[in-house]
Amino acid sequence: MGRYLNSLVPFETYRQIAGTRFFADKTSLLMDVVHAAETDGQKYLCITRPRRFGKSVMACMTAAFFGKAVDSSAVFDRLAVAESQDYRKHLNRHNVIFIDFSRVPRDCSSYVQYISRVQDGINQDLEHVYPDMGMDVSGTLWDNFLMIFERTQERFVFVIDEWDAVFHMDFISRENQLAYLAFLKNLLKDQVYVELCYMTGVLPVAKYSSGSELNMFVEYDMTVMERFSSSFGFVEEETDRLFEIYLKTTKKPKITREDLRIWYDGYDTASGERLYNPRSVVCALANNQLADYWTSSGPYDEIFYYVKNNIEDIRDDLVLLAAGEGVETEIHSYAAAAMELNTKDEIYSAMVIYGLLTYRNGAVFIPNKELMGRFKELLMNKESMGYVYRLANESKKMLAATLCADTQTMAEILESAHNTESPVLSYNSEIELSAVVNLVYLAARDRYRVEREDKAGKGYVDFIFYPERKNADAFILELKVDSTPEKAVRQIKDKNYVLRFQGKIGEKPKYTGRILAVGISYSTKTKEHSCRVEVLQDSSV
């Protein structure tokens, strides 16, 4: 056992995770990897996912399963992989080189220092396990691996985690990046001692040309490739099972199953499955509290990093995204070398890869409430967002005016929105109007859960604002173009949308405050807005 060769670290890491309360068994991935290598001839696999989507856990699982460091049957015998007929054939039968490229030496300030730690560490491990080879410990890794293979016919499984970490390190230059890619090529490409290479990261393998350094890898991302799509993130069934554990083991559960869907669901895979953010689900259940667990390590400034080079073109799209609409785009393979983001397609491609947006049916969307909160912060805190910033900050006044039925102020704020130069505010349909309504009610998201096109009563309602506090006012909002706000309110009443706030028979009401009907209309002839607010129900009386 060594630092890199048959290291005990990935086994111990996975053993601890497998013993936790909210553990999801993803070991079916292991046989998929075996079949890819043995049956399909794909022994170079690069699986990319957003950060905190379980990549490192899966890498440790892979190394713990294949590696000879320790007998790991006590962990894997009770998991899904044990049902495979090839289970014993591969369990702890391989030499594994495990490299986590996010690890750096102390006070590291150069690429040479960084990569030397890896090369020297592996060479020392090889010398320790194969002391009679007479290998040059200061020599190149691939020469020493070749020597071992020629004399012993032993091959190695390489498990590489965070392969793209170097592209995010301040001390790594463009020249260093090229040297790093050359290092991986020399170590792995067409090398007979490589039995399998399982590599993970956020970024797809950089492709500079048809003769790329690392073109031997088959890349599996979340939006294009179906294989391995359910192995990262939680699918519905896994989330259901973890939620049942939560209910059975938590003294006073505060989270509902619907809460998990609203906050953490919404990532789409190429196979059509919807994924939950695994880190956020586990943290929420373990803490018995909903919060921004995934985005807490990357505030709204992270989103701004991607849009700052093209604010003018993207500003209107952000209004639509915040309204829950999709924005059509073409997702491109985002090369590690292409860090300059200028066109909308490049920007959205990067944001999908980093998990800030999801891609579905040719369009990008904000996945869930956790991410919506970060986009809201961006719109309300960056003055460079122009009219979007100004209108977003008017949203506090809009909410206050609605709750006190100040329809004149409501209309004035909407007039101000329409008098901007944004083409999204043309109001040719209710889609554009709904986008602006989302923007002028943006501040409400701190106090309300905003649902669009919710099934309520006999039909679908444009917006329902569910208050976070039980005694706060709730309201139902209906939009009309070339109609009247009175007709909008009448539709709310006729279709009995208020039923959405009522619990089951015999249950106490969900809200003890008022429920308001809000109608907003816009005339394409007069270019005027009209608003109406009526009380539908007042439980406090």
Side-chain angles (χ1 to χ4, degrees):
M1 293 183 291
R3 281 192 296 163
Y4 297 94
L5 173 58
N6 295 326
S7 170
L8 187 62
V9 171
F11 165 76
E12 185 59 25
T13 300
Y14 188 69
R15 184 191 66 79
Q16 292 179 18
I17 292 171
T20 58
R21 180 167 45 143
F22 299 113
F23 167 73
D25 182 355
K26 296 283 190 177
T27 55
S28 59
L29 168 75
L30 295 167
M31 287 300 109
D32 286 344
V33 169
V34 168
H35 294 154
E38 293 187 346
T39 306
D40 303 331
Q42 298 177 356
K43 69 175 184 178
Y44 295 98
L45 308 174
C46 180
I47 300 177
T48 56
R49 291 294 186 275
R51 58 185 172 83
R52 301 302 184 107
F53 256 71
K55 298 185 303 300
S56 294
V57 174
M58 296 297 100
C60 288
M61 176 189 76
T62 303
F65 176 75
F66 288 114
K68 297 179 179 180
V70 63
D71 178 3
S72 58
S73 58
V75 173
F76 290 104
D77 278 356
R78 60 184 177 85
L79 301 178
V81 68
E83 298 175 8
S84 169
Q85 61 181 5
D86 291 332
Y87 172 58
R88 294 292 174 187
K89 175 182 174 183
H90 293 283
L91 180 68
N92 307 137
R93 298 296 182 91
H94 304 263
N95 287 312
V96 169
I97 301 291
F98 180 81
I99 309 172
D100 179 353
F101 275 113
S102 68
R103 306 289 184 184
V104 297
R106 186 178 62 185
D107 302 323
C108 184
S109 59
S110 73
Y111 172 71
V112 172
Q113 185 182 4
Y114 167 80
I115 204 66
S116 293
R117 172 179 177 270
V118 175
Q119 293 191 88
D120 293 346
I122 296 175
N123 270 334
Q124 289 166 10
D125 286 351
L126 293 176
E127 183 188 39
H128 178 75
V129 176
Y130 303 96
D132 300 327
M133 293 288 174
M135 67 182 68
D136 182 3
V137 180
S138 62
T140 58
L141 281 177
W142 35 96
D143 286 344
N144 287 331
F145 275 118
L146 277 172
M147 180 189 299
I148 293 170
F149 175 77
E150 288 171 347
R151 296 185 183 181
T152 67
Q153 286 74 56
E154 290 188 32
R155 296 192 295 164
F156 298 82
V157 170
F158 288 80
V159 178
I160 297 175
D161 192 23
E162 305 284 2
W163 87 271
D164 55 333
V166 297
F167 296 96
H168 304 281
M169 295 177 181
D170 293 338
F171 61 86
I172 299 293
S173 68
R174 172 69 177 142
E175 186 179 76
N176 295 154
Q177 293 172 3
L178 294 175
Y180 171 70
L181 292 171
F183 166 78
L184 290 180
K185 173 189 175 182
N186 289 325
L187 177 64
L188 301 170
K189 189 172 183 178
D190 299 329
Q191 295 287 17
V192 69
Y193 56 76
V194 177
E195 185 175 15
L196 167 71
C197 183
Y198 173 94
M199 191 164 79
T200 72
V202 175
L203 298 175
V205 172
K207 293 183 176 178
Y208 297 103
S209 67
S210 59
S212 166
E213 288 89 340
L214 303 180
N215 62 358
M216 70 284 197
F217 278 97
V218 180
E219 299 179 39
Y220 294 92
D221 66 10
M222 189 161 62
T223 59
V224 177
M225 301 295 285
E226 293 188 17
R227 197 171 201 172
F228 307 122
S229 60
S230 62
S231 297
F232 300 82
F234 293 156
V235 298
E236 289 286 353
E237 294 79 5
E238 290 167 334
T239 309
D240 287 342
R241 189 180 65 79
L242 296 180
F243 184 69
E244 287 300 318
I245 294 172
Y246 161 77
L247 292 178
K248 293 176 182 178
T249 59
T250 305
K251 288 185 178 179
K252 294 181 179 180
K254 298 178 181 178
I255 298 170
T256 68
R257 182 63 178 83
E258 181 68 2
D259 287 335
L260 294 181
R261 183 193 66 78
I262 292 167
W263 274 77
Y264 308 124
D265 189 15
Y267 294 92
D268 295 82
T269 69
S271 62
E273 290 180 293
R274 297 288 289 272
L275 293 180
Y276 290 70
N277 185 306
R279 170 180 167 81
S280 296
V281 168
V282 169
C283 288
L285 297 180
N287 295 328
N288 196 22
Q289 181 179 357
L290 299 165
D292 297 335
Y293 294 105
W294 184 68
T295 57
S296 62
S297 59
Y300 67 87
D301 277 338
E302 181 178 0
I303 298 174
F304 183 69
Y305 167 81
Y306 296 102
V307 305
K308 65 183 179 182
N309 291 343
N310 197 351
I311 287 177
E312 237 174 82
D313 285 349
I314 287 181
R315 202 158 36 198
D316 295 332
D317 288 351
L318 290 176
V319 177
L320 290 170
L321 288 169
E325 300 290 341
V327 172
E328 291 187 3
T329 188
E330 289 187 18
I331 297 298
H332 300 296
S333 180
Y334 179 56
M339 297 302 287
E340 194 69 30
L341 304 171
N342 294 303
T343 71
K344 290 206 290 187
D345 286 348
E346 288 173 344
I347 291 168
Y348 295 145
S349 296
M351 293 177 79
V352 167
I353 284 169
Y354 281 92
L356 301 173
L357 293 172
T358 190
Y359 183 67
R360 182 188 320 137
N361 300 326
V364 289
F365 298 82
I366 298 175
N368 49 44
K369 183 173 180 177
E370 184 175 27
L371 264 298
M372 186 66 80
R374 292 309 187 193
F375 277 86
K376 187 210 79 166
E377 290 179 15
L378 168 68
L379 298 180
M380 297 189 71
N381 287 282
K382 287 294 183 181
E383 291 189 44
S384 56
M385 297 304 296
Y387 83 87
V388 175
Y389 166 80
R390 293 190 297 274
L391 289 179
N393 281 277
E394 285 286 291
S395 63
K396 295 177 183 178
K397 296 180 183 177
M398 188 69 175
L399 177 60
T402 301
L403 295 178
C404 66
D406 182 357
T407 55
Q408 181 177 344
T409 298
M410 293 168 64
E412 289 173 356
I413 293 173
L414 288 166
E415 291 293 335
S416 175
H418 191 250
N419 288 334
T420 67
E421 298 178 357
S422 170
V424 80
L425 306 179
S426 60
Y427 294 7
N428 291 324
S429 71
E430 289 183 12
I431 292 178
E432 287 87 353
L433 179 56
S434 69
V436 176
V437 166
N438 245 297
L439 185 59
V440 297
Y441 281 101
L442 200 63
R445 293 183 182 275
D446 288 336
R447 295 163 56 184
Y448 290 84
R449 172 168 61 85
V450 183
E451 289 285 327
R452 292 202 56 220
E453 292 295 334
D454 200 355
K455 182 70 171 68
K458 301 176 183 177
Y460 288 85
V461 62
D462 285 331
F463 293 92
I464 296 185
F465 288 71
Y466 298 93
E468 300 290 350
R469 294 193 347 260
K470 191 174 181 179
N471 62 346
D473 291 341
F475 59 100
I476 302 167
L477 193 153
E478 190 70 25
L479 307 174
K480 295 291 182 185
V481 173
D482 290 330
S483 184
T484 66
E486 288 78 15
K487 287 186 178 180
V489 170
R490 173 52 55 191
Q491 180 176 322
I492 293 172
K493 292 179 178 178
D494 289 347
K495 294 197 173 182
N496 213 11
Y497 290 155
V498 74
L499 289 176
R500 197 66 179 87
F501 291 94
Q502 296 179 5
K504 298 178 181 179
I505 297 176
E507 289 183 346
K508 293 181 180 179
K510 292 183 178 180
Y511 303 102
T512 57
R514 299 181 303 168
I515 299 177
L516 308 177
V518 179
I520 295 177
S521 70
Y522 173 73
S523 171
T524 57
K525 293 180 180 179
T526 65
K527 310 298 182 185
E528 293 180 347
H529 300 78
S530 301
C531 306
R532 185 171 182 81
V533 179
E534 293 186 15
V535 178
L536 292 176
Q537 180 177 305
D538 191 347
S539 302
S540 61
V541 176

